[in-house]
Amino acid sequence: MIKQVICINWGTKYGAPFINRLYGMVARNITPPFSFTCFTDNREGIRPEVDCQDLPPIDVEMPKNSKGIWPKSRLWGPRLGDLTGPVLFLDLDLVITGSLDDFFTYGDPQDVILSRNPNTPLEKLGQTSVFRFPVGGLLPLQERFRADPQGIADEYRFEQRFVTRNAPGGAKLFPNSWVRHFRMHCRRPFPLNYVAAPKLPRDARIVIFPGGLHPSHAIDGHYPPYAPDSAGEHLRGLFSEVRQDKPLRYLRHYIRPASWVAEHWRA
């Protein structure tokens, strides 16, 4: 069975460099045969190995002032280009560090399976940075969303909560160790963040980057909103007018460069 990987791109935030890197990471970490499809509104600069298809249509006004990535709802329709069967969706700003093969054999082909969201440990919540679903299997979600987009966004806040709570047949979760959260599982706690680089957790296949940190920040040792600097310079900044956070939060907002991110995050 061919392994089908998909991603989605709209607007100008990401574009070809992210798509090309993601394809490169997938190709290095998957056993053929596989396909890689990007649903996009701009094909310029995308490497020829990527199957570019138009964004799936959805005739709704997207929610305003909502935290979720609700344009992902385009993927919940009855069709995804010419694809059928299970597809593995990957965010454009993640880093693949191990084999993807098991993401295609885990559970049943008709299951909806998400990575676990570690931000809410008491809530069995999935993360749509990495999730597998059968094409057309989320149509009931799209129909509910289309009927009241703003109301759904206000009730669930994040699209991943809406998917987790309403997936037909119930949502399942991939094993915790397969998908790790950079900010929560990789960066060092204070004061170790000043002497040790972020770690790559053992058995991690994918590292996701929600919450403001980005792979390029990890490579540079840059924790926004502060400019990249040395450990000493950052510590001295505790007493400057540049500091925007409370002292402890400011001290935690420092990371050393993570060379392993640069090793993996490339086309």
Side-chain angles (χ1 to χ4, degrees), residues 168-262:
K172 297 182 178 179
L173 300 175
F174 287 119
N176 293 351
S177 63
W178 291 7
V179 182
R180 290 304 195 182
H181 187 300
F182 180 82
R183 183 168 48 83
M184 300 188 69
H185 299 133
C186 301
R187 69 170 181 145
R188 306 284 183 167
F190 174 76
L192 290 179
N193 56 322
Y194 287 87
V195 296
K199 64 183 178 180
L200 174 59
R202 186 171 176 263
D203 297 331
R205 321 287 186 88
I206 296 173
V207 177
I208 60 176
F209 283 79
L213 277 173
H214 181 274
S216 65
H217 298 145
I219 293 169
D220 295 339
H222 174 199
Y223 203 130
Y226 303 105
D229 52 22
S230 68
E233 289 170 334
H234 193 81
L235 287 170
R236 285 191 292 274
L238 182 65
F239 306 100
S240 76
E241 296 179 358
V242 175
R243 177 168 63 85
Q244 302 175 27
D245 296 319
K246 294 181 179 179
L248 182 57
R249 181 177 172 85
Y250 174 83
L251 291 170
R252 292 172 56 210
H253 278 195
Y254 176 81
I255 55 173
R256 297 182 67 86
S259 60
W260 57 267
V261 176

Side-chain angles (χ1 to χ4, degrees), residues 4 20 32 49 59 67 141 166 172-173 200 229 266:
Q4 300 181 126
N20 294 340
E49 301 97 326
D59 55 344
K67 292 185 176 181
L141 273 67
N166 297 283
K172 297 182 178 179
L173 300 175
L200 174 59
D229 52 22
R266 56 186 174 84

Side-chain angles (χ1 to χ4, degrees), residues 40-80:
T40 181
D41 57 2
N42 184 358
R43 307 182 184 205
E44 184 177 354
I46 298 176
R47 59 194 296 171
E49 301 97 326
V50 176
D51 174 24
C52 292
Q53 299 197 33
D54 293 339
L55 289 172
I58 185 169
D59 55 344
V60 302
E61 182 178 355
M62 289 296 160
K64 295 179 173 62
N65 302 317
S66 299
K67 292 185 176 181
I69 312 299
W70 293 98
K72 287 183 181 179
S73 59
R74 290 178 176 274
L75 303 173
W76 307 341
R79 290 174 296 279
L80 281 180

Side-chain angles (χ1 to χ4, degrees), residues 106-179:
Y106 189 81
D108 186 88
Q110 296 304 308
D111 287 340
V112 176
I113 313 179
L114 299 89
S115 55
R116 181 181 292 273
N117 188 327
N119 282 314
T120 55
L122 299 181
E123 180 183 7
K124 190 179 179 182
L125 181 63
Q127 181 95 24
T128 58
S129 296
V130 180
F131 78 112
R132 200 188 79 208
F133 62 96
V135 172
L138 297 178
L139 180 57
L141 273 67
Q142 190 182 75
E143 291 174 341
R144 280 191 60 189
F145 177 70
R146 287 176 68 250
D148 185 11
Q150 191 64 56
I152 291 293
D154 291 344
E155 179 180 355
Y156 290 93
R157 298 189 63 206
F158 297 94
E159 88 291 341
Q160 55 209 19
R161 180 174 285 113
F162 180 58
V163 174
T164 304
R165 295 286 171 262
N166 297 283
K172 297 182 178 179
L173 300 175
F174 287 119
N176 293 351
S177 63
W178 291 7
V179 182

